[in-house]
Amino acid sequence: MSSTALGFSTRAIHGGQFPDPATGAILTPIVQSTTYVQEAVGRHKGFTYSRSGNPTVAALERNLGELEGVGPAVCFGSGMSAETALCLALLKAGDHVVASDVIYGGTVRLLDRLFAPFGVTTSYVDGSSVAELRVAITDQTRVVFVESPGNPTLRLCSLQAAAEAAHEKGALLAVDNTLMTPALQRPFAFGADVVVYSTTKFLEGHNATIGGALLANDTGIAERFRFVQNAAGLIQSPFDAWLTLRGIKTLEIRMARHSANALQVARFLAAHPRVTHVSYPWLEDFPQFDLARRQQRAGGGLVAFEVEGGVEAGVRVMNAVRLCSLAENLGAVESLITHPASMTHADVPAEQRARAGITDGLVRLSVGLENPEDVIADLAQALEVSR
């Protein structure tokens, strides 16, 4: 049966994976080998050296490709190494990038401090404004890079409008889909050329790995990514690939639960007298609620909020939680609470954070798979004791 005829969870469980021909093992084996014995000069079984390709990593790459409906992904040692590979494959001195201003702080650091000295310039614009995107894209723009929802404010970008704006100028649209995963959003369906993942987050989902992936709807672009993966030695480790494959088997169920829990938590926060602002795409008063409904299947697992009293009050809340963990990651079964201004986005200049709406008092909550009533009770006590 063609994989395109199968449901999402079926593809997540079986896509790109086969019982081990040697043992019949139903799970893809961890091939922890540096090198592979070749049958003769110029004749091998598809693998020669694990920097250039590994059977376990290849299974994950096929699996992700089936979930996105394109060819195999190219997997890397981290989300940032995936973004580095994207830049190395698609950009050269004199090229220009347009990036949404609400974006992971590590991406800003990569573009401004690593690639700018090599002659790559970046303009940061409000990705929710099609007009701003169109004005920012020039004849030198090669990549438009957006997150939707954006980390950490959850501001959305119309992926279809961004794709049209990029393509009019001959640029490519790259979408960081880490917060949604293919279970909740399919950027290629809206015209994206490249999809970027930190597989560390919701895809693996258990705080157990570091990894990244790039997917392209053009085989030529995908081959450029694969060349960089090999040439720069950025391939993901077999064990992390195996753990990610195992995590993806429950992806659809987990994302539905993350979203349901987050919506319940967001509604609690929105009704709390000490909370001055809540951002969650599935709340009816979210400014881009209609867009969220058009391009997402659910709201996802992240909630952003601010507490009455500003920075000091927000910090007291984060220091007072007991069940939620103060940590930099997101997208895991455990609920994680983060202060973006001092943690995930500390490398973004303060004025740039302010323009993007990343205030010093913003709290980011990655809602896990605990009983939502317990997460709410933890937040309630933290809000009370932090007065």
Side-chain angles (χ1 to χ4, degrees), residues 28-63:
T28 299
I30 305 169
V31 181
Q32 192 67 49
S33 181
T34 304
T35 194
Y36 304 82
V37 175
Q38 303 183 36
E39 297 168 327
V41 175
R43 192 168 77 240
H44 53 76
K45 298 180 180 180
F47 301 94
T48 58
Y49 189 69
S50 274
R51 189 196 70 236
S52 305
N54 172 277
T56 314
V57 177
L60 173 60
E61 292 174 337
R62 293 191 301 267
N63 181 257

PDB file of all heavy atoms in Angstrom, residues 28-63:
ATOM      1  N   THR A  28      13.980  -0.485  14.496  1.00  0.00           N
ATOM      2  CA  THR A  28      15.207  -0.254  13.743  1.00  0.00           C
ATOM      3  C   THR A  28      16.414  -0.414  14.669  1.00  0.00           C
ATOM      4  O   THR A  28      16.471   0.213  15.726  1.00  0.00           O
ATOM      5  CB  THR A  28      15.200   1.167  13.159  1.00  0.00           C
ATOM      6  OG1 THR A  28      14.085   1.302  12.281  1.00  0.00           O
ATOM      7  CG2 THR A  28      16.483   1.463  12.408  1.00  0.00           C
ATOM      8  N   PRO A  29      17.382  -1.234  14.317  1.00  0.00           N
ATOM      9  CA  PRO A  29      18.551  -1.403  15.191  1.00  0.00           C
ATOM     10  C   PRO A  29      19.394  -0.126  15.275  1.00  0.00           C
ATOM     11  O   PRO A  29      19.389   0.698  14.356  1.00  0.00           O
ATOM     12  CB  PRO A  29      19.346  -2.521  14.513  1.00  0.00           C
ATOM     13  CG  PRO A  29      18.382  -3.196  13.592  1.00  0.00           C
ATOM     14  CD  PRO A  29      17.423  -2.134  13.156  1.00  0.00           C
ATOM     15  N   ILE A  30      20.105   0.026  16.377  1.00  0.00           N
ATOM     16  CA  ILE A  30      21.097   1.085  16.507  1.00  0.00           C
ATOM     17  C   ILE A  30      22.385   0.573  15.890  1.00  0.00           C
ATOM     18  O   ILE A  30      23.037  -0.310  16.434  1.00  0.00           O
ATOM     19  CB  ILE A  30      21.338   1.458  17.988  1.00  0.00           C
ATOM     20  CG1 ILE A  30      20.029   1.836  18.674  1.00  0.00           C
ATOM     21  CG2 ILE A  30      22.351   2.602  18.086  1.00  0.00           C
ATOM     22  CD1 ILE A  30      20.155   1.965  20.174  1.00  0.00           C
ATOM     23  N   VAL A  31      22.739   1.112  14.738  1.00  0.00           N
ATOM     24  CA  VAL A  31      23.972   0.693  14.068  1.00  0.00           C
ATOM     25  C   VAL A  31      25.088   1.619  14.533  1.00  0.00           C
ATOM     26  O   VAL A  31      25.328   2.681  13.972  1.00  0.00           O
ATOM     27  CB  VAL A  31      23.816   0.721  12.537  1.00  0.00           C
ATOM     28  CG1 VAL A  31      25.104   0.270  11.862  1.00  0.00           C
ATOM     29  CG2 VAL A  31      22.654  -0.168  12.114  1.00  0.00           C
ATOM     30  N   GLN A  32      25.755   1.183  15.603  1.00  0.00           N
ATOM     31  CA  GLN A  32      26.817   1.999  16.202  1.00  0.00           C
ATOM     32  C   GLN A  32      28.147   1.550  15.615  1.00  0.00           C
ATOM     33  O   GLN A  32      28.957   0.894  16.274  1.00  0.00           O
ATOM     34  CB  GLN A  32      26.790   1.839  17.729  1.00  0.00           C
ATOM     35  CG  GLN A  32      27.649   2.848  18.468  1.00  0.00           C
ATOM     36  CD  GLN A  32      27.115   4.266  18.331  1.00  0.00           C
ATOM     37  OE1 GLN A  32      25.933   4.509  18.542  1.00  0.00           O
ATOM     38  NE2 GLN A  32      27.981   5.190  17.966  1.00  0.00           N
ATOM     39  N   SER A  33      28.344   1.900  14.348  1.00  0.00           N
ATOM     40  CA  SER A  33      29.560   1.492  13.653  1.00  0.00           C
ATOM     41  C   SER A  33      30.137   2.674  12.902  1.00  0.00           C
ATOM     42  O   SER A  33      29.399   3.427  12.259  1.00  0.00           O
ATOM     43  CB  SER A  33      29.265   0.354  12.671  1.00  0.00           C
ATOM     44  OG  SER A  33      30.437  -0.067  12.013  1.00  0.00           O
ATOM     45  N   THR A  34      31.452   2.817  12.975  1.00  0.00           N
ATOM     46  CA  THR A  34      32.124   3.874  12.231  1.00  0.00           C
ATOM     47  C   THR A  34      32.171   3.559  10.746  1.00  0.00           C
ATOM     48  O   THR A  34      31.875   4.402   9.899  1.00  0.00           O
ATOM     49  CB  THR A  34      33.560   4.061  12.745  1.00  0.00           C
ATOM     50  OG1 THR A  34      33.527   4.330  14.139  1.00  0.00           O
ATOM     51  CG2 THR A  34      34.266   5.181  12.006  1.00  0.00           C
ATOM     52  N   THR A  35      32.528   2.317  10.428  1.00  0.00           N
ATOM     53  CA  THR A  35      32.783   1.975   9.033  1.00  0.00           C
ATOM     54  C   THR A  35      32.050   0.693   8.653  1.00  0.00           C
ATOM     55  O   THR A  35      31.525  -0.026   9.522  1.00  0.00           O
ATOM     56  CB  THR A  35      34.297   1.849   8.775  1.00  0.00           C
ATOM     57  OG1 THR A  35      34.545   1.841   7.375  1.00  0.00           O
ATOM     58  CG2 THR A  35      34.881   0.619   9.445  1.00  0.00           C
ATOM     59  N   TYR A  36      32.028   0.395   7.346  1.00  0.00           N
ATOM     60  CA  TYR A  36      31.252  -0.719   6.812  1.00  0.00           C
ATOM     61  C   TYR A  36      32.121  -1.476   5.812  1.00  0.00           C
ATOM     62  O   TYR A  36      32.719  -0.871   4.907  1.00  0.00           O
ATOM     63  CB  TYR A  36      29.981  -0.202   6.125  1.00  0.00           C
ATOM     64  CG  TYR A  36      29.139   0.645   7.058  1.00  0.00           C
ATOM     65  CD1 TYR A  36      29.443   1.990   7.259  1.00  0.00           C
ATOM     66  CD2 TYR A  36      28.082   0.098   7.784  1.00  0.00           C
ATOM     67  CE1 TYR A  36      28.712   2.768   8.145  1.00  0.00           C
ATOM     68  CE2 TYR A  36      27.342   0.871   8.665  1.00  0.00           C
ATOM     69  CZ  TYR A  36      27.662   2.206   8.850  1.00  0.00           C
ATOM     70  OH  TYR A  36      26.942   2.973   9.740  1.00  0.00           O
ATOM     71  N   VAL A  37      32.181  -2.787   5.976  1.00  0.00           N
ATOM     72  CA  VAL A  37      33.004  -3.612   5.083  1.00  0.00           C
ATOM     73  C   VAL A  37      32.353  -3.621   3.698  1.00  0.00           C
ATOM     74  O   VAL A  37      31.155  -3.854   3.561  1.00  0.00           O
ATOM     75  CB  VAL A  37      33.141  -5.045   5.638  1.00  0.00           C
ATOM     76  CG1 VAL A  37      33.887  -5.932   4.640  1.00  0.00           C
ATOM     77  CG2 VAL A  37      33.863  -5.017   6.982  1.00  0.00           C
ATOM     78  N   GLN A  38      33.156  -3.358   2.700  1.00  0.00           N
ATOM     79  CA  GLN A  38      32.659  -3.293   1.324  1.00  0.00           C
ATOM     80  C   GLN A  38      32.903  -4.615   0.603  1.00  0.00           C
ATOM     81  O   GLN A  38      33.896  -5.309   0.843  1.00  0.00           O
ATOM     82  CB  GLN A  38      33.323  -2.122   0.600  1.00  0.00           C
ATOM     83  CG  GLN A  38      33.073  -0.796   1.329  1.00  0.00           C
ATOM     84  CD  GLN A  38      33.641   0.408   0.618  1.00  0.00           C
ATOM     85  OE1 GLN A  38      33.637   0.476  -0.604  1.00  0.00           O
ATOM     86  NE2 GLN A  38      34.135   1.374   1.395  1.00  0.00           N
ATOM     87  N   GLU A  39      31.968  -4.966  -0.277  1.00  0.00           N
ATOM     88  CA  GLU A  39      32.034  -6.262  -0.954  1.00  0.00           C
ATOM     89  C   GLU A  39      33.197  -6.329  -1.938  1.00  0.00           C
ATOM     90  O   GLU A  39      33.794  -7.384  -2.155  1.00  0.00           O
ATOM     91  CB  GLU A  39      30.713  -6.511  -1.686  1.00  0.00           C
ATOM     92  CG  GLU A  39      29.524  -6.589  -0.727  1.00  0.00           C
ATOM     93  CD  GLU A  39      28.194  -6.534  -1.452  1.00  0.00           C
ATOM     94  OE1 GLU A  39      28.103  -5.846  -2.489  1.00  0.00           O
ATOM     95  OE2 GLU A  39      27.248  -7.186  -0.985  1.00  0.00           O
ATOM     96  N   ALA A  40      33.509  -5.202  -2.554  1.00  0.00           N
ATOM     97  CA  ALA A  40      34.619  -5.103  -3.496  1.00  0.00           C
ATOM     98  C   ALA A  40      34.866  -3.618  -3.729  1.00  0.00           C
ATOM     99  O   ALA A  40      34.068  -2.772  -3.297  1.00  0.00           O
ATOM    100  CB  ALA A  40      34.289  -5.806  -4.816  1.00  0.00           C
ATOM    101  N   VAL A  41      35.931  -3.283  -4.394  1.00  0.00           N
ATOM    102  CA  VAL A  41      36.203  -1.874  -4.684  1.00  0.00           C
ATOM    103  C   VAL A  41      35.055  -1.312  -5.509  1.00  0.00           C
ATOM    104  O   VAL A  41      34.708  -1.846  -6.576  1.00  0.00           O
ATOM    105  CB  VAL A  41      37.546  -1.721  -5.429  1.00  0.00           C
ATOM    106  CG1 VAL A  41      37.752  -0.258  -5.838  1.00  0.00           C
ATOM    107  CG2 VAL A  41      38.692  -2.187  -4.551  1.00  0.00           C
ATOM    108  N   GLY A  42      34.430  -0.263  -4.996  1.00  0.00           N
ATOM    109  CA  GLY A  42      33.314   0.359  -5.695  1.00  0.00           C
ATOM    110  C   GLY A  42      31.985  -0.341  -5.510  1.00  0.00           C
ATOM    111  O   GLY A  42      30.978   0.073  -6.110  1.00  0.00           O
ATOM    112  N   ARG A  43      31.918  -1.371  -4.672  1.00  0.00           N
ATOM    113  CA  ARG A  43      30.651  -2.079  -4.453  1.00  0.00           C
ATOM    114  C   ARG A  43      30.415  -2.230  -2.948  1.00  0.00           C
ATOM    115  O   ARG A  43      31.225  -2.826  -2.244  1.00  0.00           O
ATOM    116  CB  ARG A  43      30.668  -3.443  -5.123  1.00  0.00           C
ATOM    117  CG  ARG A  43      29.268  -4.080  -5.152  1.00  0.00           C
ATOM    118  CD  ARG A  43      29.191  -5.295  -6.070  1.00  0.00           C
ATOM    119  NE  ARG A  43      29.783  -6.480  -5.464  1.00  0.00           N
ATOM    120  CZ  ARG A  43      30.797  -7.163  -5.954  1.00  0.00           C
ATOM    121  NH1 ARG A  43      31.393  -6.752  -7.063  1.00  0.00           N
ATOM    122  NH2 ARG A  43      31.276  -8.245  -5.353  1.00  0.00           N
ATOM    123  N   HIS A  44      29.308  -1.641  -2.478  1.00  0.00           N
ATOM    124  CA  HIS A  44      28.978  -1.711  -1.053  1.00  0.00           C
ATOM    125  C   HIS A  44      27.465  -1.792  -0.897  1.00  0.00           C
ATOM    126  O   HIS A  44      26.722  -1.812  -1.895  1.00  0.00           O
ATOM    127  CB  HIS A  44      29.553  -0.493  -0.305  1.00  0.00           C
ATOM    128  CG  HIS A  44      29.158   0.826  -0.899  1.00  0.00           C
ATOM    129  ND1 HIS A  44      27.912   1.376  -0.727  1.00  0.00           N
ATOM    130  CD2 HIS A  44      29.856   1.703  -1.686  1.00  0.00           C
ATOM    131  CE1 HIS A  44      27.843   2.540  -1.356  1.00  0.00           C
ATOM    132  NE2 HIS A  44      29.009   2.767  -1.953  1.00  0.00           N
ATOM    133  N   LYS A  45      26.998  -1.822   0.341  1.00  0.00           N
ATOM    134  CA  LYS A  45      25.571  -2.003   0.625  1.00  0.00           C
ATOM    135  C   LYS A  45      24.859  -0.695   0.932  1.00  0.00           C
ATOM    136  O   LYS A  45      23.824  -0.678   1.592  1.00  0.00           O
ATOM    137  CB  LYS A  45      25.394  -2.994   1.780  1.00  0.00           C
ATOM    138  CG  LYS A  45      25.929  -4.385   1.456  1.00  0.00           C
ATOM    139  CD  LYS A  45      25.747  -5.345   2.617  1.00  0.00           C
ATOM    140  CE  LYS A  45      26.282  -6.722   2.251  1.00  0.00           C
ATOM    141  NZ  LYS A  45      26.132  -7.705   3.366  1.00  0.00           N
ATOM    142  N   GLY A  46      25.441   0.406   0.479  1.00  0.00           N
ATOM    143  CA  GLY A  46      24.797   1.699   0.661  1.00  0.00           C
ATOM    144  C   GLY A  46      25.441   2.574   1.716  1.00  0.00           C
ATOM    145  O   GLY A  46      25.119   3.769   1.813  1.00  0.00           O
ATOM    146  N   PHE A  47      26.339   2.004   2.505  1.00  0.00           N
ATOM    147  CA  PHE A  47      27.002   2.761   3.562  1.00  0.00           C
ATOM    148  C   PHE A  47      28.481   2.437   3.559  1.00  0.00           C
ATOM    149  O   PHE A  47      28.888   1.284   3.368  1.00  0.00           O
ATOM    150  CB  PHE A  47      26.392   2.434   4.930  1.00  0.00           C
ATOM    151  CG  PHE A  47      24.918   2.747   5.007  1.00  0.00           C
ATOM    152  CD1 PHE A  47      23.976   1.761   4.748  1.00  0.00           C
ATOM    153  CD2 PHE A  47      24.479   4.029   5.312  1.00  0.00           C
ATOM    154  CE1 PHE A  47      22.623   2.054   4.789  1.00  0.00           C
ATOM    155  CE2 PHE A  47      23.126   4.322   5.355  1.00  0.00           C
ATOM    156  CZ  PHE A  47      22.192   3.336   5.090  1.00  0.00           C
ATOM    157  N   THR A  48      29.309   3.482   3.767  1.00  0.00           N
ATOM    158  CA  THR A  48      30.752   3.291   3.769  1.00  0.00           C
ATOM    159  C   THR A  48      31.411   3.808   5.043  1.00  0.00           C
ATOM    160  O   THR A  48      32.362   3.218   5.540  1.00  0.00           O
ATOM    161  CB  THR A  48      31.388   4.010   2.563  1.00  0.00           C
ATOM    162  OG1 THR A  48      31.059   5.417   2.622  1.00  0.00           O
ATOM    163  CG2 THR A  48      30.877   3.417   1.246  1.00  0.00           C
ATOM    164  N   TYR A  49      30.875   4.931   5.576  1.00  0.00           N
ATOM    165  CA  TYR A  49      31.481   5.598   6.732  1.00  0.00           C
ATOM    166  C   TYR A  49      30.379   6.423   7.375  1.00  0.00           C
ATOM    167  O   TYR A  49      29.645   7.133   6.683  1.00  0.00           O
ATOM    168  CB  TYR A  49      32.640   6.490   6.248  1.00  0.00           C
ATOM    169  CG  TYR A  49      33.505   7.073   7.332  1.00  0.00           C
ATOM    170  CD1 TYR A  49      34.342   6.271   8.099  1.00  0.00           C
ATOM    171  CD2 TYR A  49      33.512   8.445   7.559  1.00  0.00           C
ATOM    172  CE1 TYR A  49      35.162   6.829   9.081  1.00  0.00           C
ATOM    173  CE2 TYR A  49      34.323   9.010   8.539  1.00  0.00           C
ATOM    174  CZ  TYR A  49      35.136   8.191   9.298  1.00  0.00           C
ATOM    175  OH  TYR A  49      35.947   8.737  10.261  1.00  0.00           O
ATOM    176  N   SER A  50      30.243   6.344   8.688  1.00  0.00           N
ATOM    177  CA  SER A  50      29.043   6.890   9.331  1.00  0.00           C
ATOM    178  C   SER A  50      28.962   8.409   9.354  1.00  0.00           C
ATOM    179  O   SER A  50      27.907   8.954   9.656  1.00  0.00           O
ATOM    180  CB  SER A  50      28.895   6.334  10.751  1.00  0.00           C
ATOM    181  OG  SER A  50      28.200   5.096  10.716  1.00  0.00           O
ATOM    182  N   ARG A  51      30.037   9.113   9.016  1.00  0.00           N
ATOM    183  CA  ARG A  51      29.886  10.550   8.827  1.00  0.00           C
ATOM    184  C   ARG A  51      29.094  10.838   7.558  1.00  0.00           C
ATOM    185  O   ARG A  51      28.407  11.848   7.442  1.00  0.00           O
ATOM    186  CB  ARG A  51      31.256  11.227   8.738  1.00  0.00           C
ATOM    187  CG  ARG A  51      31.170  12.767   8.747  1.00  0.00           C
ATOM    188  CD  ARG A  51      32.441  13.450   8.285  1.00  0.00           C
ATOM    189  NE  ARG A  51      32.663  13.261   6.862  1.00  0.00           N
ATOM    190  CZ  ARG A  51      33.756  12.743   6.326  1.00  0.00           C
ATOM    191  NH1 ARG A  51      34.755  12.340   7.101  1.00  0.00           N
ATOM    192  NH2 ARG A  51      33.873  12.599   5.019  1.00  0.00           N
ATOM    193  N   SER A  52      29.186   9.930   6.585  1.00  0.00           N
ATOM    194  CA  SER A  52      28.534  10.115   5.291  1.00  0.00           C
ATOM    195  C   SER A  52      27.140   9.496   5.239  1.00  0.00           C
ATOM    196  O   SER A  52      26.384   9.784   4.312  1.00  0.00           O
ATOM    197  CB  SER A  52      29.394   9.488   4.192  1.00  0.00           C
ATOM    198  OG  SER A  52      30.705  10.018   4.218  1.00  0.00           O
ATOM    199  N   GLY A  53      26.802   8.671   6.182  1.00  0.00           N
ATOM    200  CA  GLY A  53      25.502   8.027   6.188  1.00  0.00           C
ATOM    201  C   GLY A  53      25.494   6.853   7.134  1.00  0.00           C
ATOM    202  O   GLY A  53      26.472   6.091   7.199  1.00  0.00           O
ATOM    203  N   ASN A  54      24.408   6.696   7.865  1.00  0.00           N
ATOM    204  CA  ASN A  54      24.294   5.639   8.873  1.00  0.00           C
ATOM    205  C   ASN A  54      22.905   5.014   8.747  1.00  0.00           C
ATOM    206  O   ASN A  54      21.911   5.738   8.567  1.00  0.00           O
ATOM    207  CB  ASN A  54      24.507   6.241  10.264  1.00  0.00           C
ATOM    208  CG  ASN A  54      24.225   5.265  11.376  1.00  0.00           C
ATOM    209  OD1 ASN A  54      23.071   5.085  11.765  1.00  0.00           O
ATOM    210  ND2 ASN A  54      25.255   4.626  11.902  1.00  0.00           N
ATOM    211  N   PRO A  55      22.762   3.701   8.837  1.00  0.00           N
ATOM    212  CA  PRO A  55      21.462   3.067   8.641  1.00  0.00           C
ATOM    213  C   PRO A  55      20.377   3.538   9.610  1.00  0.00           C
ATOM    214  O   PRO A  55      19.207   3.693   9.219  1.00  0.00           O
ATOM    215  CB  PRO A  55      21.755   1.582   8.833  1.00  0.00           C
ATOM    216  CG  PRO A  55      23.207   1.437   8.513  1.00  0.00           C
ATOM    217  CD  PRO A  55      23.844   2.708   8.975  1.00  0.00           C
ATOM    218  N   THR A  56      20.724   3.782  10.861  1.00  0.00           N
ATOM    219  CA  THR A  56      19.724   4.240  11.831  1.00  0.00           C
ATOM    220  C   THR A  56      19.290   5.663  11.517  1.00  0.00           C
ATOM    221  O   THR A  56      18.098   5.990  11.557  1.00  0.00           O
ATOM    222  CB  THR A  56      20.290   4.166  13.261  1.00  0.00           C
ATOM    223  OG1 THR A  56      20.934   2.910  13.466  1.00  0.00           O
ATOM    224  CG2 THR A  56      19.173   4.338  14.280  1.00  0.00           C
ATOM    225  N   VAL A  57      20.251   6.519  11.199  1.00  0.00           N
ATOM    226  CA  VAL A  57      19.929   7.899  10.835  1.00  0.00           C
ATOM    227  C   VAL A  57      19.102   7.914   9.548  1.00  0.00           C
ATOM    228  O   VAL A  57      18.139   8.677   9.420  1.00  0.00           O
ATOM    229  CB  VAL A  57      21.210   8.734  10.689  1.00  0.00           C
ATOM    230  CG1 VAL A  57      20.877  10.156  10.240  1.00  0.00           C
ATOM    231  CG2 VAL A  57      21.989   8.760  12.000  1.00  0.00           C
ATOM    232  N   ALA A  58      19.452   7.052   8.601  1.00  0.00           N
ATOM    233  CA  ALA A  58      18.720   6.994   7.335  1.00  0.00           C
ATOM    234  C   ALA A  58      17.265   6.601   7.552  1.00  0.00           C
ATOM    235  O   ALA A  58      16.359   7.099   6.861  1.00  0.00           O
ATOM    236  CB  ALA A  58      19.401   6.014   6.378  1.00  0.00           C
ATOM    237  N   ALA A  59      17.010   5.722   8.517  1.00  0.00           N
ATOM    238  CA  ALA A  59      15.631   5.339   8.814  1.00  0.00           C
ATOM    239  C   ALA A  59      14.832   6.534   9.334  1.00  0.00           C
ATOM    240  O   ALA A  59      13.668   6.747   8.957  1.00  0.00           O
ATOM    241  CB  ALA A  59      15.610   4.200   9.822  1.00  0.00           C
ATOM    242  N   LEU A  60      15.454   7.334  10.215  1.00  0.00           N
ATOM    243  CA  LEU A  60      14.789   8.547  10.709  1.00  0.00           C
ATOM    244  C   LEU A  60      14.548   9.523   9.559  1.00  0.00           C
ATOM    245  O   LEU A  60      13.480  10.137   9.470  1.00  0.00           O
ATOM    246  CB  LEU A  60      15.632   9.207  11.798  1.00  0.00           C
ATOM    247  CG  LEU A  60      15.146  10.576  12.299  1.00  0.00           C
ATOM    248  CD1 LEU A  60      13.737  10.476  12.897  1.00  0.00           C
ATOM    249  CD2 LEU A  60      16.123  11.147  13.323  1.00  0.00           C
ATOM    250  N   GLU A  61      15.521   9.661   8.671  1.00  0.00           N
ATOM    251  CA  GLU A  61      15.368  10.578   7.543  1.00  0.00           C
ATOM    252  C   GLU A  61      14.207  10.156   6.643  1.00  0.00           C
ATOM    253  O   GLU A  61      13.409  10.993   6.197  1.00  0.00           O
ATOM    254  CB  GLU A  61      16.681  10.646   6.759  1.00  0.00           C
ATOM    255  CG  GLU A  61      17.795  11.328   7.561  1.00  0.00           C
ATOM    256  CD  GLU A  61      19.153  11.288   6.900  1.00  0.00           C
ATOM    257  OE1 GLU A  61      19.389  10.395   6.055  1.00  0.00           O
ATOM    258  OE2 GLU A  61      19.996  12.149   7.234  1.00  0.00           O
ATOM    259  N   ARG A  62      14.085   8.853   6.392  1.00  0.00           N
ATOM    260  CA  ARG A  62      12.946   8.375   5.590  1.00  0.00           C
ATOM    261  C   ARG A  62      11.630   8.613   6.311  1.00  0.00           C
ATOM    262  O   ARG A  62      10.627   9.030   5.708  1.00  0.00           O
ATOM    263  CB  ARG A  62      13.112   6.883   5.282  1.00  0.00           C
ATOM    264  CG  ARG A  62      14.271   6.542   4.364  1.00  0.00           C
ATOM    265  CD  ARG A  62      14.199   5.093   3.902  1.00  0.00           C
ATOM    266  NE  ARG A  62      14.212   4.134   5.015  1.00  0.00           N
ATOM    267  CZ  ARG A  62      15.304   3.562   5.498  1.00  0.00           C
ATOM    268  NH1 ARG A  62      16.504   3.877   4.996  1.00  0.00           N
ATOM    269  NH2 ARG A  62      15.232   2.687   6.486  1.00  0.00           N
ATOM    270  N   ASN A  63      11.618   8.373   7.612  1.00  0.00           N
ATOM    271  CA  ASN A  63      10.405   8.535   8.404  1.00  0.00           C
ATOM    272  C   ASN A  63       9.910   9.969   8.377  1.00  0.00           C
ATOM    273  O   ASN A  63       8.720  10.234   8.126  1.00  0.00           O
ATOM    274  CB  ASN A  63      10.683   8.083   9.841  1.00  0.00           C
ATOM    275  CG  ASN A  63       9.470   8.183  10.741  1.00  0.00           C
ATOM    276  OD1 ASN A  63       9.374   9.108  11.539  1.00  0.00           O
ATOM    277  ND2 ASN A  63       8.543   7.250  10.626  1.00  0.00           N
TER     278      ASN A  63
END
